[in-house]
Amino acid sequence: MIDIHAHILPAVDDGAQNEVETLAMLQTAVNEGIRTIVATPHYNRNFTQNRTSVLRKVELLQKMIAKHQLDVAVLPGQEIRIYGEVLEDIQSGKLLTIADHSQHVLIEFPFRSVPHYAERLFFELEDAGITPIIAHPERNLELQENPGRLYDFVVNGALTQVTTSSLTGYFGKQVQKFSRDMIEHNLAHVLATDAHNNSDRSFTMSEAFADVEKRFGTYTMNVLQENARLIIEGEDVLVDELPQMMSGNGSKKKFFGLF
């Protein structure tokens, strides 16, 4: 399996705090059946590791993995908190796309809202050939209350990454239900762990995919797994047709009540 979102680099953000924690997390990932991890340290007002720094730290981690003979590969990436100059900073080499050769970039919204300029920024990214992947939209309060806006993002070309621990219930029943609703209505494109440690924010990939297969079938599980591979290889993902609806600012009840 492939995990496109994990805070595995030591001492760069609120993920692994040192090499010992990183090695322990990597071993857990291997035990889960994960063989490729995209290291996605936060890029926001508190954490400002740029592309050059992340590439250097990933290279050091790859050497550590080889030394300890772990059966896992780590690729570079970032989880970028949305701001107006994302495209310019990707083009200037300040920021990383996924795997640093992909046509995809992982974008995080604030947890309570979606900035008013998000649609414009996403249009600019897509016009430049870069597809935004919205990190854990199921945990965003505005999207929970107004899933029609999430629908609009997807209709206009954005992808979404649902967190495995959202599906397993770590963030509560409301987030779990919204995650399942997204999968049911083809609004979820890839699962990732967003792992931060080995205690409360660990790798829960196997449990999440088992839940997906049980509830939505083997086809859906395979699509979500295959999309992770396509993303790190910079290819177009598999996107199932969305249900028809009037896009706009519909309420949560109206949106899911249509299906």
Side-chain angles (χ1 to χ4, degrees):
M1 291 185 287
I2 297 168
D3 187 2
I4 70 160
H5 182 180
H7 298 267
I8 196 76
L9 294 181
V12 299
D13 61 6
D14 58 345
Q17 293 303 293
N18 51 55
E19 292 184 1
V20 172
E21 287 190 14
T22 291
L23 285 171
M25 289 177 68
L26 288 170
Q27 186 60 63
T28 299
V30 170
N31 294 342
E32 277 277 310
I34 297 168
R35 292 297 178 264
T36 303
I37 300 172
V38 181
T40 53
H42 291 289
Y43 185 87
N44 56 35
R45 67 179 63 183
N46 297 316
F47 305 109
T48 57
Q49 298 282 334
N50 62 23
R51 174 179 176 272
T52 300
S53 176
V54 174
L55 289 175
R56 183 172 63 251
K57 291 177 184 300
V58 168
E59 183 179 1
L60 291 173
L61 180 54
Q62 290 167 339
K63 292 179 180 178
M64 187 166 66
I65 289 170
K67 177 182 176 181
H68 291 270
Q69 298 181 323
L70 294 173
D71 186 17
V72 64
V74 175
L75 303 175
Q78 286 173 304
E79 180 184 12
I80 302 165
R81 175 63 67 94
I82 190 170
Y83 65 99
E85 292 74 40
V86 168
L87 177 59
E88 291 90 333
D89 286 347
I90 291 173
Q91 292 174 329
S92 71
K94 184 177 181 180
L95 298 178
L96 275 159
T97 57
I98 293 177
D100 198 34
H101 61 71
S102 169
Q103 63 192 43
H104 304 93
V105 62
L106 190 65
I107 300 289
E108 179 188 38
F109 291 152
F111 283 100
R112 295 186 176 274
S113 62
V114 177
H116 63 86
Y117 59 84
E119 288 87 354
R120 174 185 56 80
L121 174 63
F122 282 10
F123 174 81
E124 292 173 353
L125 286 167
E126 291 165 23
D127 192 52
I130 301 169
T131 300
I133 302 176
I134 305 172
H136 44 68
E138 76 280 359
R139 289 154 52 192
N140 179 277
L141 295 182
E142 182 173 338
L143 296 179
Q144 290 174 15
E145 292 301 317
N146 182 8
R149 192 166 188 195
L150 178 62
Y151 181 97
D152 287 344
F153 282 127
V154 174
V155 164
N156 289 314
L159 303 175
T160 68
Q161 170 260 302
V162 170
T163 303
T164 54
S165 52
S166 294
L167 281 171
T168 60
Y170 174 79
F171 294 103
K173 291 191 177 299
Q174 181 176 351
V175 171
Q176 185 180 49
K177 183 180 184 304
F178 192 34
S179 301
R180 290 170 175 169
D181 286 339
M182 286 177 59
I183 294 172
E184 180 181 357
H185 301 309
N186 297 336
L187 289 171
H189 304 101
V190 63
L191 301 187
T193 68
D194 192 10
H196 280 64
N197 52 54
N198 253 355
S199 53
D200 59 337
R201 299 286 299 276
S202 188
F203 297 91
T204 53
M205 193 78 86
S206 297
E207 183 181 356
F209 274 120
D211 182 76
V212 169
E213 185 173 29
K214 177 182 177 181
R215 291 176 180 276
F216 306 106
T218 303
Y219 168 79
T220 297
M221 180 191 70
N222 288 340
V223 166
L224 292 170
Q225 290 182 343
E226 177 67 4
N227 279 345
R229 182 189 68 80
L230 295 171
I231 286 168
I232 67 169
E233 294 183 1
E235 299 180 17
D236 292 334
V237 305
L238 304 171
V239 178
D240 286 330
E241 184 178 357
L242 290 172
Q244 294 299 308
M245 66 167 283
M246 292 295 292
S247 61
N249 296 322
S251 69
K252 183 174 181 179
K253 181 177 180 182
K254 179 179 179 182
F255 180 83
F256 289 117
L258 291 175
F259 308 102

